[in-house]
Amino acid sequence: MDESSKKQQANGKGNKSNPFPAGEEMFKVLFEEVPCYTCILDTDLNIVAANRLCKENFATPFTRHCYQVFKGRPDACEECPAMKTFDEGCISETLETVKHASGQDMQVVCRTAPLRDDSGKVTGVLHMSARTGHAEELQQVMTSLNSQVGAVSHGIKGLLTSMVGGFYLWDSGLAKDRADRVEKGVDIIRRNFHRIKHLAHDVLFFVKHRVMHTEAVKVSYLMNETFLSVEDIAKQMETEVVLGDMPDPEIMVDVDQRAIVSALSNLIVSSLHDCYTDKRDIPHSVHMKVEKQYNEVVFEVSDNGVGMDSESLKKLFSLFFNPKGIEAAGIGLFITNKLARLHKGRVEVESEQGKGTRYKFYLPVTE
Amino acid sequence: MTGPDAQKTILVVDDEPDIVSFLTTLLEDNGYKAVIAENGEEASKAVQAAKPDLVSLDITMPEKSGVKFYRELKENPDTSNIPVIMVTGMPEVFENFISTRKQVPPPEGYINKPLKETKYLEMIKELIG
């Protein structure tokens, strides 16, 4: 090798016979140009280095935690592959949903590998991820479906446990001649029967491909039908549902009447549950009213129940997200949101933990 | 913690009021004192205040507060010896979670929903008498 080539090689540059960089420069190029999103994390999950593809596809600045950059989360993921690698010192692989810089969700296969110091201690993690192909997407759909079925099963088991409890109170109340206990047991059985009925209805609605039968319907009619559909469960939840003034009977919307009554009743049931589980010693109630705003009709359902924190609000309409524990296994509000959009409407929610929640269900008015 | 002949205290951690009614009545009918917490944060406070002999924990409460409480209970040397019975509708999910967290020991008992009273009481008796 001539002196010029030797110098080039020492500087990490290739030469005429070997165009590729050498030495430390080669590793820098490899890191920067590897065709997947690559970064290095420290033990606090801070990104200490990121390659070009990573910087081009995820939100800056990069001097933040990986969960902030890749997922827009304020805290670490529950099932963090990097933490698993730190804990166990081995390669970990997961399927993840990350947030592209454009705001779109993206499915990636993520692999993490340990980086060790001279003593063998894991002091960093190499984090590499790549967009999934068709096979991985199908696998993810199947995994998601399995967990959704599991979530419904869990919801049903919780309601059945409550019914077991009701029967225990009933039987033991009879045995001990305690009428108050028998009455409590019967109440529990009735309440959970209605909740199971509602859940079954939601699951069927979700799985059935339903053709919308749209027609012009009076808004006042929808309000009345919704009220009637929740009367029983409101009684079991020991919470009053109060109807506001009836709107102008001439206001109409083009909707599938059964679908909209179902959507609105889901909002009321959600509010009823928030009131029922609120431990504050105050009278609880759910209010429903409707008013016309320009070319839209707004059905408003409000309560003074437990309310929700901001994190729960963000995920409220996600399928099977369930901030309320077992109630309806997280299907009802997802269905409500979906039905609103199918009718060219929308749902807005305001909530404050410890104060209550307000839902607004918008529909376009029939011209 | 209570002496060998004193009434045993059980902390029931569950966010569902009907299940809480059921379990507290069942436990009191069988000679235990029941203390209630409806989320992980309340449970942490209740453990300090009531010093229970056993914890009955619904692991699938909102915001994973049951999981966080369990981890804190078992990582604290003052409370790690308190036996825990996990009440869950999804045992496979929890077993998988626990097996991937090597520093957290598994609970002393699992019971699946819907819960059978006799099995629940047998498990408690086996753990604390």
Side-chain angles (χ1 to χ4, degrees), chain A residues 158-180:
Chain A
L159 295 171
L160 288 174
T161 301
S162 293
M163 286 191 84
V164 166
F167 282 115
Y168 174 79
L169 288 169
W170 179 2
D171 284 340
S172 61
L174 287 173
K176 292 174 189 291
D177 199 21
R178 291 268 310 264
D180 58 324

PDB file of all heavy atoms in Angstrom, chain A residues 158-180:
ATOM      1  N   GLY A 158     -65.630 -11.047  35.731  1.00  0.00           N
ATOM      2  CA  GLY A 158     -65.811 -10.090  36.819  1.00  0.00           C
ATOM      3  C   GLY A 158     -67.276  -9.928  37.178  1.00  0.00           C
ATOM      4  O   GLY A 158     -67.652  -9.929  38.358  1.00  0.00           O
ATOM      5  N   LEU A 159     -68.118  -9.808  36.144  1.00  0.00           N
ATOM      6  CA  LEU A 159     -69.556  -9.661  36.393  1.00  0.00           C
ATOM      7  C   LEU A 159     -70.132 -10.920  37.045  1.00  0.00           C
ATOM      8  O   LEU A 159     -70.995 -10.847  37.931  1.00  0.00           O
ATOM      9  CB  LEU A 159     -70.280  -9.352  35.076  1.00  0.00           C
ATOM     10  CG  LEU A 159     -69.919  -8.008  34.441  1.00  0.00           C
ATOM     11  CD1 LEU A 159     -70.497  -7.889  33.041  1.00  0.00           C
ATOM     12  CD2 LEU A 159     -70.397  -6.855  35.292  1.00  0.00           C
ATOM     13  N   LEU A 160     -69.640 -12.081  36.607  1.00  0.00           N
ATOM     14  CA  LEU A 160     -70.118 -13.333  37.208  1.00  0.00           C
ATOM     15  C   LEU A 160     -69.683 -13.430  38.669  1.00  0.00           C
ATOM     16  O   LEU A 160     -70.433 -13.928  39.523  1.00  0.00           O
ATOM     17  CB  LEU A 160     -69.583 -14.539  36.425  1.00  0.00           C
ATOM     18  CG  LEU A 160     -70.209 -14.758  35.047  1.00  0.00           C
ATOM     19  CD1 LEU A 160     -69.514 -15.893  34.302  1.00  0.00           C
ATOM     20  CD2 LEU A 160     -71.695 -15.053  35.161  1.00  0.00           C
ATOM     21  N   THR A 161     -68.486 -12.942  38.969  1.00  0.00           N
ATOM     22  CA  THR A 161     -68.036 -12.940  40.375  1.00  0.00           C
ATOM     23  C   THR A 161     -68.975 -12.091  41.212  1.00  0.00           C
ATOM     24  O   THR A 161     -69.325 -12.456  42.343  1.00  0.00           O
ATOM     25  CB  THR A 161     -66.592 -12.414  40.484  1.00  0.00           C
ATOM     26  OG1 THR A 161     -65.729 -13.239  39.700  1.00  0.00           O
ATOM     27  CG2 THR A 161     -66.107 -12.427  41.922  1.00  0.00           C
ATOM     28  N   SER A 162     -69.376 -10.956  40.670  1.00  0.00           N
ATOM     29  CA  SER A 162     -70.324 -10.108  41.389  1.00  0.00           C
ATOM     30  C   SER A 162     -71.634 -10.855  41.630  1.00  0.00           C
ATOM     31  O   SER A 162     -72.227 -10.778  42.709  1.00  0.00           O
ATOM     32  CB  SER A 162     -70.607  -8.824  40.601  1.00  0.00           C
ATOM     33  OG  SER A 162     -69.461  -8.013  40.535  1.00  0.00           O
ATOM     34  N   MET A 163     -72.079 -11.609  40.617  1.00  0.00           N
ATOM     35  CA  MET A 163     -73.333 -12.367  40.782  1.00  0.00           C
ATOM     36  C   MET A 163     -73.168 -13.480  41.818  1.00  0.00           C
ATOM     37  O   MET A 163     -74.078 -13.730  42.613  1.00  0.00           O
ATOM     38  CB  MET A 163     -73.790 -12.943  39.441  1.00  0.00           C
ATOM     39  CG  MET A 163     -74.363 -11.875  38.531  1.00  0.00           C
ATOM     40  SD  MET A 163     -75.195 -12.528  37.085  1.00  0.00           S
ATOM     41  CE  MET A 163     -76.805 -12.885  37.733  1.00  0.00           C
ATOM     42  N   VAL A 164     -72.004 -14.126  41.812  1.00  0.00           N
ATOM     43  CA  VAL A 164     -71.726 -15.142  42.849  1.00  0.00           C
ATOM     44  C   VAL A 164     -71.857 -14.490  44.227  1.00  0.00           C
ATOM     45  O   VAL A 164     -72.439 -15.054  45.157  1.00  0.00           O
ATOM     46  CB  VAL A 164     -70.307 -15.736  42.653  1.00  0.00           C
ATOM     47  CG1 VAL A 164     -69.868 -16.523  43.878  1.00  0.00           C
ATOM     48  CG2 VAL A 164     -70.278 -16.636  41.429  1.00  0.00           C
ATOM     49  N   GLY A 165     -71.326 -13.271  44.310  1.00  0.00           N
ATOM     50  CA  GLY A 165     -71.420 -12.526  45.556  1.00  0.00           C
ATOM     51  C   GLY A 165     -72.864 -12.242  45.952  1.00  0.00           C
ATOM     52  O   GLY A 165     -73.251 -12.383  47.118  1.00  0.00           O
ATOM     53  N   GLY A 166     -73.659 -11.862  44.940  1.00  0.00           N
ATOM     54  CA  GLY A 166     -75.077 -11.600  45.202  1.00  0.00           C
ATOM     55  C   GLY A 166     -75.783 -12.836  45.741  1.00  0.00           C
ATOM     56  O   GLY A 166     -76.543 -12.767  46.711  1.00  0.00           O
ATOM     57  N   PHE A 167     -75.496 -13.971  45.118  1.00  0.00           N
ATOM     58  CA  PHE A 167     -76.119 -15.218  45.580  1.00  0.00           C
ATOM     59  C   PHE A 167     -75.646 -15.583  46.989  1.00  0.00           C
ATOM     60  O   PHE A 167     -76.424 -16.097  47.798  1.00  0.00           O
ATOM     61  CB  PHE A 167     -75.821 -16.362  44.601  1.00  0.00           C
ATOM     62  CG  PHE A 167     -76.674 -16.318  43.363  1.00  0.00           C
ATOM     63  CD1 PHE A 167     -76.121 -16.094  42.109  1.00  0.00           C
ATOM     64  CD2 PHE A 167     -78.057 -16.492  43.456  1.00  0.00           C
ATOM     65  CE1 PHE A 167     -76.921 -16.040  40.968  1.00  0.00           C
ATOM     66  CE2 PHE A 167     -78.860 -16.442  42.325  1.00  0.00           C
ATOM     67  CZ  PHE A 167     -78.295 -16.209  41.078  1.00  0.00           C
ATOM     68  N   TYR A 168     -74.379 -15.313  47.275  1.00  0.00           N
ATOM     69  CA  TYR A 168     -73.882 -15.616  48.625  1.00  0.00           C
ATOM     70  C   TYR A 168     -74.621 -14.769  49.661  1.00  0.00           C
ATOM     71  O   TYR A 168     -75.062 -15.255  50.710  1.00  0.00           O
ATOM     72  CB  TYR A 168     -72.366 -15.340  48.726  1.00  0.00           C
ATOM     73  CG  TYR A 168     -71.870 -15.506  50.146  1.00  0.00           C
ATOM     74  CD1 TYR A 168     -71.633 -16.775  50.666  1.00  0.00           C
ATOM     75  CD2 TYR A 168     -71.697 -14.407  50.985  1.00  0.00           C
ATOM     76  CE1 TYR A 168     -71.231 -16.938  51.981  1.00  0.00           C
ATOM     77  CE2 TYR A 168     -71.291 -14.559  52.303  1.00  0.00           C
ATOM     78  CZ  TYR A 168     -71.066 -15.829  52.796  1.00  0.00           C
ATOM     79  OH  TYR A 168     -70.667 -15.991  54.096  1.00  0.00           O
ATOM     80  N   LEU A 169     -74.786 -13.483  49.356  1.00  0.00           N
ATOM     81  CA  LEU A 169     -75.473 -12.591  50.299  1.00  0.00           C
ATOM     82  C   LEU A 169     -76.928 -13.035  50.482  1.00  0.00           C
ATOM     83  O   LEU A 169     -77.467 -13.023  51.594  1.00  0.00           O
ATOM     84  CB  LEU A 169     -75.413 -11.141  49.804  1.00  0.00           C
ATOM     85  CG  LEU A 169     -74.040 -10.476  49.900  1.00  0.00           C
ATOM     86  CD1 LEU A 169     -74.007  -9.158  49.149  1.00  0.00           C
ATOM     87  CD2 LEU A 169     -73.663 -10.237  51.347  1.00  0.00           C
ATOM     88  N   TRP A 170     -77.539 -13.439  49.371  1.00  0.00           N
ATOM     89  CA  TRP A 170     -78.939 -13.887  49.420  1.00  0.00           C
ATOM     90  C   TRP A 170     -79.056 -15.133  50.304  1.00  0.00           C
ATOM     91  O   TRP A 170     -79.821 -15.177  51.256  1.00  0.00           O
ATOM     92  CB  TRP A 170     -79.400 -14.164  47.982  1.00  0.00           C
ATOM     93  CG  TRP A 170     -80.807 -14.647  47.828  1.00  0.00           C
ATOM     94  CD1 TRP A 170     -81.745 -14.843  48.796  1.00  0.00           C
ATOM     95  CD2 TRP A 170     -81.425 -15.019  46.596  1.00  0.00           C
ATOM     96  NE1 TRP A 170     -82.910 -15.301  48.242  1.00  0.00           N
ATOM     97  CE2 TRP A 170     -82.749 -15.413  46.896  1.00  0.00           C
ATOM     98  CE3 TRP A 170     -81.004 -15.039  45.274  1.00  0.00           C
ATOM     99  CZ2 TRP A 170     -83.641 -15.833  45.910  1.00  0.00           C
ATOM    100  CZ3 TRP A 170     -81.894 -15.456  44.311  1.00  0.00           C
ATOM    101  CH2 TRP A 170     -83.195 -15.855  44.613  1.00  0.00           C
ATOM    102  N   ASP A 171     -78.227 -16.164  49.989  1.00  0.00           N
ATOM    103  CA  ASP A 171     -78.303 -17.443  50.732  1.00  0.00           C
ATOM    104  C   ASP A 171     -77.965 -17.245  52.209  1.00  0.00           C
ATOM    105  O   ASP A 171     -78.675 -17.734  53.092  1.00  0.00           O
ATOM    106  CB  ASP A 171     -77.291 -18.457  50.142  1.00  0.00           C
ATOM    107  CG  ASP A 171     -77.790 -19.029  48.840  1.00  0.00           C
ATOM    108  OD1 ASP A 171     -79.012 -18.967  48.595  1.00  0.00           O
ATOM    109  OD2 ASP A 171     -76.947 -19.535  48.057  1.00  0.00           O
ATOM    110  N   SER A 172     -76.865 -16.518  52.461  1.00  0.00           N
ATOM    111  CA  SER A 172     -76.447 -16.357  53.860  1.00  0.00           C
ATOM    112  C   SER A 172     -77.429 -15.449  54.601  1.00  0.00           C
ATOM    113  O   SER A 172     -77.666 -15.619  55.799  1.00  0.00           O
ATOM    114  CB  SER A 172     -75.018 -15.805  53.942  1.00  0.00           C
ATOM    115  OG  SER A 172     -74.921 -14.534  53.339  1.00  0.00           O
ATOM    116  N   GLY A 173     -78.025 -14.504  53.895  1.00  0.00           N
ATOM    117  CA  GLY A 173     -79.043 -13.651  54.510  1.00  0.00           C
ATOM    118  C   GLY A 173     -80.251 -14.450  54.958  1.00  0.00           C
ATOM    119  O   GLY A 173     -80.793 -14.241  56.043  1.00  0.00           O
ATOM    120  N   LEU A 174     -80.669 -15.397  54.103  1.00  0.00           N
ATOM    121  CA  LEU A 174     -81.806 -16.263  54.464  1.00  0.00           C
ATOM    122  C   LEU A 174     -81.440 -17.124  55.666  1.00  0.00           C
ATOM    123  O   LEU A 174     -82.229 -17.291  56.605  1.00  0.00           O
ATOM    124  CB  LEU A 174     -82.187 -17.157  53.276  1.00  0.00           C
ATOM    125  CG  LEU A 174     -82.897 -16.474  52.104  1.00  0.00           C
ATOM    126  CD1 LEU A 174     -83.064 -17.428  50.928  1.00  0.00           C
ATOM    127  CD2 LEU A 174     -84.265 -15.929  52.524  1.00  0.00           C
ATOM    128  N   ALA A 175     -80.211 -17.670  55.644  1.00  0.00           N
ATOM    129  CA  ALA A 175     -79.785 -18.565  56.727  1.00  0.00           C
ATOM    130  C   ALA A 175     -79.689 -17.825  58.059  1.00  0.00           C
ATOM    131  O   ALA A 175     -79.967 -18.389  59.125  1.00  0.00           O
ATOM    132  CB  ALA A 175     -78.433 -19.197  56.367  1.00  0.00           C
ATOM    133  N   LYS A 176     -79.287 -16.582  58.009  1.00  0.00           N
ATOM    134  CA  LYS A 176     -79.097 -15.815  59.244  1.00  0.00           C
ATOM    135  C   LYS A 176     -80.316 -14.944  59.567  1.00  0.00           C
ATOM    136  O   LYS A 176     -80.282 -14.139  60.496  1.00  0.00           O
ATOM    137  CB  LYS A 176     -77.866 -14.900  59.110  1.00  0.00           C
ATOM    138  CG  LYS A 176     -76.549 -15.648  59.032  1.00  0.00           C
ATOM    139  CD  LYS A 176     -75.402 -14.663  58.754  1.00  0.00           C
ATOM    140  CE  LYS A 176     -74.107 -15.349  58.460  1.00  0.00           C
ATOM    141  NZ  LYS A 176     -73.474 -16.046  59.552  1.00  0.00           N
ATOM    142  N   ASP A 177     -81.341 -15.076  58.757  1.00  0.00           N
ATOM    143  CA  ASP A 177     -82.562 -14.290  58.962  1.00  0.00           C
ATOM    144  C   ASP A 177     -82.243 -12.789  58.907  1.00  0.00           C
ATOM    145  O   ASP A 177     -82.700 -12.014  59.749  1.00  0.00           O
ATOM    146  CB  ASP A 177     -83.214 -14.666  60.309  1.00  0.00           C
ATOM    147  CG  ASP A 177     -84.681 -14.237  60.361  1.00  0.00           C
ATOM    148  OD1 ASP A 177     -85.273 -14.043  59.285  1.00  0.00           O
ATOM    149  OD2 ASP A 177     -85.218 -14.067  61.469  1.00  0.00           O
ATOM    150  N   ARG A 178     -81.467 -12.421  57.916  1.00  0.00           N
ATOM    151  CA  ARG A 178     -81.069 -11.022  57.749  1.00  0.00           C
ATOM    152  C   ARG A 178     -81.692 -10.503  56.447  1.00  0.00           C
ATOM    153  O   ARG A 178     -81.141 -10.668  55.361  1.00  0.00           O
ATOM    154  CB  ARG A 178     -79.534 -10.914  57.653  1.00  0.00           C
ATOM    155  CG  ARG A 178     -78.774 -11.216  58.923  1.00  0.00           C
ATOM    156  CD  ARG A 178     -78.514  -9.982  59.742  1.00  0.00           C
ATOM    157  NE  ARG A 178     -77.945  -8.910  58.968  1.00  0.00           N
ATOM    158  CZ  ARG A 178     -76.644  -8.649  58.887  1.00  0.00           C
ATOM    159  NH1 ARG A 178     -75.769  -9.415  59.512  1.00  0.00           N
ATOM    160  NH2 ARG A 178     -76.214  -7.627  58.185  1.00  0.00           N
ATOM    161  N   ALA A 179     -82.843  -9.864  56.609  1.00  0.00           N
ATOM    162  CA  ALA A 179     -83.568  -9.373  55.424  1.00  0.00           C
ATOM    163  C   ALA A 179     -82.768  -8.325  54.662  1.00  0.00           C
ATOM    164  O   ALA A 179     -82.818  -8.260  53.433  1.00  0.00           O
ATOM    165  CB  ALA A 179     -84.915  -8.790  55.853  1.00  0.00           C
ATOM    166  N   ASP A 180     -81.993  -7.509  55.386  1.00  0.00           N
ATOM    167  CA  ASP A 180     -81.211  -6.456  54.724  1.00  0.00           C
ATOM    168  C   ASP A 180     -80.165  -7.079  53.813  1.00  0.00           C
ATOM    169  O   ASP A 180     -79.906  -6.606  52.705  1.00  0.00           O
ATOM    170  CB  ASP A 180     -80.534  -5.552  55.763  1.00  0.00           C
ATOM    171  CG  ASP A 180     -79.615  -6.315  56.709  1.00  0.00           C
ATOM    172  OD1 ASP A 180     -79.949  -7.474  57.062  1.00  0.00           O
ATOM    173  OD2 ASP A 180     -78.572  -5.764  57.104  1.00  0.00           O
TER     174      ASP A 180
END
